Amino acid sequence: MSIFLHILLENVMPMTIMIVIGITLEKIFHLDIKTLSKLNFYLFSPAIIFSLVYETSISASIIGKVLLFFAIFMIIQYIVVEIVVRLRGYSPTMRSAMKNSVLFYNSANYGVPLNQLAFAGNKETLGIQVIIMMMQSLIPNTYGVYSVNAHKTSMKEVWKTIFSMPVIYVIPLAFIMRGFEIPIPAPIQTPLDYITDAFIGTALLTLGVQLGQMEWKISKSLAIDVSIAGILRLIGGPVLAWLVVSVMNLDPLTSAALIVSSAVPTSLSSVLLAVEFDNEKEFASQAVFISTLISIFTVTAVIFMLNINV
């Protein structure tokens, strides 16, 4: 029990406190979530992804293994969610919202600090988390944008929206500059450092602001759907990840990092997409709220069961 409490207090509570600060600021000042979402989409997320991809050293072998894991994991998750949405007979908007709430998990503003805390700043596990974050940032900005717009606009407009997302450009740019050892000019490096240093705090505060704008109750009409999303994300995620790493026979540290990365709650991206494109905002917000709240205990339990030396 003492180890469980240690994990809860040292690994999970710091992030929870930042989210609570965001909730408090929202209750006092009534902040503009659309402005914050645009800052995250178009500034902070691209900056942190570029910086981490450019700076984090990780072998080609590990990159290949993590990408293979991610592909298998996401395909299995998608199949499971597709079965659920078909059985539930959801509308097109609700189908995309449910898929987003499960497939898009908080690998950046929750996963990165969690990784740093759970693995005591281990550079290898950070590199693994960076790859997961990179893929999780790319998918909402491509498939995610498509899923919430495909049923209500032309493909031309969908692709126009996708190509307006800066994250799809900064990832190859970072790899090219790193591969050719192109230095970042000082006038760019300094503001880049300012932005990346502010990323985690701003992202957690944004999540808090969004949670603060919601009614702190689950509407009866959405209770079952929100519960399904939470179970698939917080329990189904790490269980499926455990199955995949077991089949792939990965080393214990890599396996633990990938399982922890899959145990985090629903991504703020699902809410940002819902707000930005007016797609099942109430469900998306409540899915994030409940999964974030419950994750305080489920993520702690996952780390505890993995017996990570924290």
Side-chain angles (χ1 to χ4, degrees):
M1 181 59 71
S2 62
I3 297 175
F4 187 91
L5 290 175
H6 174 82
I7 294 168
L8 178 63
L9 295 174
E10 299 294 330
N11 299 147
V12 180
M13 286 307 296
M15 295 181 296
T16 304
I17 290 170
M18 286 298 297
I19 294 171
V20 170
I21 291 173
I23 293 172
T24 304
L25 289 173
E26 162 57 25
K27 295 298 184 182
I28 296 172
F29 300 111
H30 305 293
L31 303 177
D32 182 4
I33 187 60
K34 280 219 167 188
T35 297
L36 289 171
S37 73
K38 282 183 168 59
L39 285 172
N40 278 280
F41 259 130
Y42 297 102
L43 179 62
F44 289 106
S45 290
I48 189 70
I49 290 169
F50 175 87
S51 181
L52 288 174
V53 171
Y54 181 81
E55 295 174 1
T56 303
S57 178
I58 187 169
S59 69
S61 174
I62 292 295
I63 291 175
K65 290 177 181 177
V66 174
L67 290 178
L68 178 60
F69 161 85
F70 185 80
I72 297 172
F73 176 66
M74 291 298 288
I75 289 171
I76 296 174
Q77 269 201 135
Y78 183 89
I79 292 171
V80 171
V81 181
E82 183 66 28
I83 292 171
V84 171
V85 299
R86 288 179 181 275
L87 289 175
R88 295 285 293 166
Y90 290 139
S91 66
T93 57
M94 191 61 188
R95 281 191 179 194
S96 65
M98 175 61 77
K99 290 177 182 178
N100 290 353
S101 72
V102 178
L103 298 177
F104 303 159
Y105 47 95
N106 216 331
S107 59
N109 57 359
Y110 197 114
V112 170
L114 177 64
N115 179 283
Q116 289 291 81
L117 291 167
F119 296 96
N122 184 289
K123 291 184 178 180
E124 183 177 340
T125 61
L126 176 61
I128 291 170
Q129 184 62 40
V130 167
I131 298 172
I132 296 295
M133 185 189 74
M134 177 183 71
M135 297 306 297
Q136 271 292 325
S137 298
L138 183 62
I139 291 176
N141 286 280
T142 51
Y143 167 76
V145 173
Y146 166 79
S147 69
V148 298
N149 285 284
H151 61 279
K152 59 184 179 183
T153 189
S154 67
M155 282 304 301
K156 180 180 179 180
E157 289 301 313
V158 171
W159 284 111
K160 181 179 178 181
T161 302
I162 289 173
F163 284 114
S164 72
M165 299 296 174
V167 71
I168 69 173
Y169 303 106
V170 301
I171 291 173
L173 176 62
F175 273 118
I176 290 171
M177 292 184 66
R178 177 181 165 185
F180 287 98
E181 299 182 351
I182 301 172
I184 302 174
I188 296 177
Q189 181 68 65
T190 299
L192 180 63
D193 290 341
Y194 291 156
I195 296 170
T196 55
D197 288 344
F199 167 75
I200 291 176
T202 303
L204 289 173
L205 290 173
T206 300
L207 177 55
V209 170
Q210 179 60 43
L211 297 178
Q213 290 186 353
M214 297 168 3
E215 292 185 31
W216 286 29
K217 62 180 181 179
I218 304 177
S219 61
K220 292 182 179 179
S221 61
L222 293 174
I224 294 176
D225 298 325
V226 171
S227 299
I228 291 172
I231 291 170
L232 291 175
R233 174 84 298 280
L234 297 175
I235 299 176
V239 169
L240 289 176
W242 174 77
L243 291 172
V244 175
V245 299
S246 298
V247 172
M248 292 179 65
N249 196 29
L250 299 176
D251 66 89
L253 184 63
T254 300
S255 297
L258 291 171
I259 293 171
V260 170
S261 77
S262 71
V264 297
T266 300
S267 174
L268 182 62
S269 297
S270 63
V271 176
L272 300 181
L273 285 168
V275 171
E276 190 73 17
F277 301 108
D278 194 22
N279 188 84
E280 301 289 351
K281 291 182 287 186
E282 185 179 3
F283 166 80
S285 297
Q286 292 186 16
V288 169
F289 173 65
I290 294 301
S291 68
T292 302
L293 182 65
I294 302 301
S295 73
I296 295 174
F297 306 101
T298 58
V299 167
T300 303
V302 168
I303 297 174
F304 176 75
M305 287 186 287
L306 288 171
N307 196 28
I308 298 171
N309 183 15
V310 295

